[in-house]
Amino acid sequence: MSEFLSEYFNWFNQAAKALEYEVHGRLWEPPYKGLAIVGMGGSGIVGDVVYVLAIDLLDAPVTVVKDYKLPKWVEEGWLMIAVSYSGNTLETLHVVKEGISKGVKVAAIASGGKLIDLTVKEDLPYIQVDSGYAPRSAFPALLLSTLRLLKALGIKLHDDLRKSIDVLRRGEDAEALAEEVIRAVVGRIPFFIASTKYYPLAVRAKNEFNENTKLPAKAEVVPEWGHNDIVGWEGWREPIAALVFREVDNEIMKFIAEHLKDSGFPIKEFEIEDSDYVKNILKWSQVVGIASVKLALELGIDPRETKSISKYKAFLKSVLKLD
Ligand code: F6R
């Protein structure tokens, strides 16, 4: 098996280890005026997941920042969790420095790099995850560490993480579902459609097919989908496939799946049955991860290499200087 593919199959071990990582630095304490989760790409997706968990539980505002500057209203008294697997992503480092200078309570997750150097220097709270992965294949470590760090800082967004990660033990189930995803995607451009709650999963799936399979892909969110994108499908006849993540009790998603079927589009529905959100996100992220890596390997593509991202980062370095 390719080494990169086995990283995805080994997610249970990665996750179990992440539950043991030490929390370093001087801890912040609530109350916080708001929570900002900062990060890009494979690290930034953690922010989307945390946002969904937090909007139903926190009384304060929550925002996801995937940019090189902070919104003006993120100010002193806010908590910021910066997530960067490499610890060297320029957008994230810029926002962290801006946060520190504004008196935001900054904390971080990284495997090393400048972000860890900075948090150690400033005695900020942080968790250091294992290095050696690609940011996207380190997703369980990044997500679980972020949830654990938040808990250590007084924000509890989850129940029993040990129970949630158990689903990753059964790699064969994930592989069988991944084969179904591959069959739906092969020879087509995948469009992932989900409710607001599972939009992070649709984005994650899109990103995985972008980075691993080197395919353009799209993520759409319902109910907004029903106000514009639904019309686009009336005229589009290119080789596309709709992959719908549908909670069993979500009537709107059911309507959308039926509508697409009636229109004659190739559509594949994946039912989400359980109520444990972290478990579902981990499970389905593993499924689409395995699918995107396997399809790349079948097509003779190197799933790990992301040379266009390296080119973009080199360009950014020349315009976004750090002092
Ligand atoms: C995913 C990937 C990118 C990075 C992004 C940010 O595997 O390579 O999406 O996650 O460029 O870099 P990090 O995660 O190091 O902050």
Side-chain angles (χ1 to χ4, degrees):
M1 187 189 289
S2 104
E3 204 187 306
F4 193 50
L5 185 56
S6 64
E7 286 177 20
Y8 282 86
F9 276 104
N10 283 333
W11 268 15
F12 176 74
N13 293 334
Q14 184 192 126
K17 195 161 177 212
L19 297 185
E20 306 297 331
Y21 287 138
E22 199 180 327
V23 181
H24 300 276
R26 189 171 37 90
L27 300 184
W28 303 114
E29 280 174 21
Y32 307 108
K33 280 192 197 161
L35 170 64
I37 314 279
V38 178
M40 308 299 298
S43 299
I45 194 72
V46 169
D48 300 313
V49 175
V50 169
Y51 176 85
V52 172
L53 286 168
I55 48 169
D56 283 336
L57 291 171
L58 296 194
D59 296 321
V62 188
T63 189
V64 178
V65 180
K66 298 187 181 189
D67 201 353
Y68 49 84
K69 64 192 273 294
L70 266 181
K72 189 163 184 275
W73 36 263
V74 175
E75 52 184 27
E76 188 173 353
W78 275 63
L79 175 65
M80 175 195 296
I81 308 286
V83 187
S84 169
Y85 184 70
S86 63
N88 287 323
T89 296
L90 283 180
E91 291 97 330
T92 311
L93 289 169
H94 262 257
V95 171
V96 164
K97 289 201 164 181
E98 195 186 340
I100 293 173
S101 72
K102 283 171 96 174
V104 172
K105 297 170 175 177
V106 174
I109 306 288
S111 68
K114 294 196 170 110
L115 189 53
I116 294 291
D117 293 347
L118 190 64
T119 48
V120 170
K121 189 172 138 235
E122 302 276 338
D123 194 18
L124 301 173
Y126 72 95
I127 291 180
Q128 186 163 10
V129 302
D130 280 353
S131 57
Y133 296 108
R136 57 195 179 281
S137 63
F139 177 65
L142 294 172
L143 175 63
L144 298 167
S145 299
T146 303
L147 293 173
R148 289 185 60 239
L149 183 57
L150 278 164
K151 187 171 173 222
L153 301 175
I155 298 182
K156 187 170 180 290
L157 298 179
H158 59 86
D159 292 322
D160 186 353
L161 288 180
R162 210 158 278 285
K163 218 164 120 200
S164 302
I165 69 167
D166 209 50
V167 69
L168 299 174
R169 272 185 205 276
R170 301 188 302 273
E172 328 81 64
D173 292 2
E175 191 169 19
L177 286 167
E179 289 298 335
E180 289 185 34
V181 174
I182 292 174
R183 279 201 294 280
V185 169
V186 73
R188 300 179 180 277
I189 305 290
F191 284 30
F192 298 96
I193 306 171
S195 64
T196 311
K197 184 170 176 183
Y198 283 96
Y199 186 50
L201 178 60
V203 173
R204 171 76 189 177
K206 175 200 95 62
N207 294 350
E208 289 288 76
F209 277 90
N210 291 155
E211 293 182 49
N212 294 335
T213 327
K214 279 75 183 167
L215 261 187
K218 192 165 175 277
E220 278 296 327
V221 61
V222 174
E224 179 64 8
W225 187 88
H227 297 270
N228 35 58
D229 206 77
I230 188 171
V231 188
W233 290 73
E234 287 175 19
W236 194 255
R237 292 293 181 271
E238 291 302 309
I240 54 179
L243 289 92
V244 178
F245 296 111
R246 178 167 85 74
E247 304 103 288
V248 275
D249 54 355
N250 188 321
E251 288 301 317
I252 304 179
M253 293 306 296
K254 194 167 160 191
F255 163 79
I256 275 146
E258 291 305 320
H259 169 76
L260 285 173
K261 271 187 223 155
D262 292 348
S263 315
F265 284 104
I267 151 165
K268 178 81 196 160
E269 273 179 272
F270 292 99
E271 281 194 355
I272 299 178
E273 285 171 17
D274 208 279
S275 59
D276 180 339
Y277 186 66
V278 174
K279 171 182 164 180
N280 291 337
I281 290 290
L282 287 172
K283 169 186 163 163
W284 287 99
S285 297
Q286 188 184 36
V287 169
V288 295
I290 291 172
S292 58
V293 172
K294 279 189 111 177
L295 183 55
L297 294 170
E298 280 171 24
L299 298 172
I301 290 163
D302 179 352
R304 182 187 274 271
E305 191 184 39
T306 48
K307 52 178 188 247
S308 306
I309 296 180
S310 307
K311 182 180 169 190
Y312 163 73
K313 286 189 174 177
F315 163 76
L316 203 65
K317 218 171 180 171
S318 67
V319 289
L320 215 59
K321 306 244 182 303
L322 269 186
D323 32 75

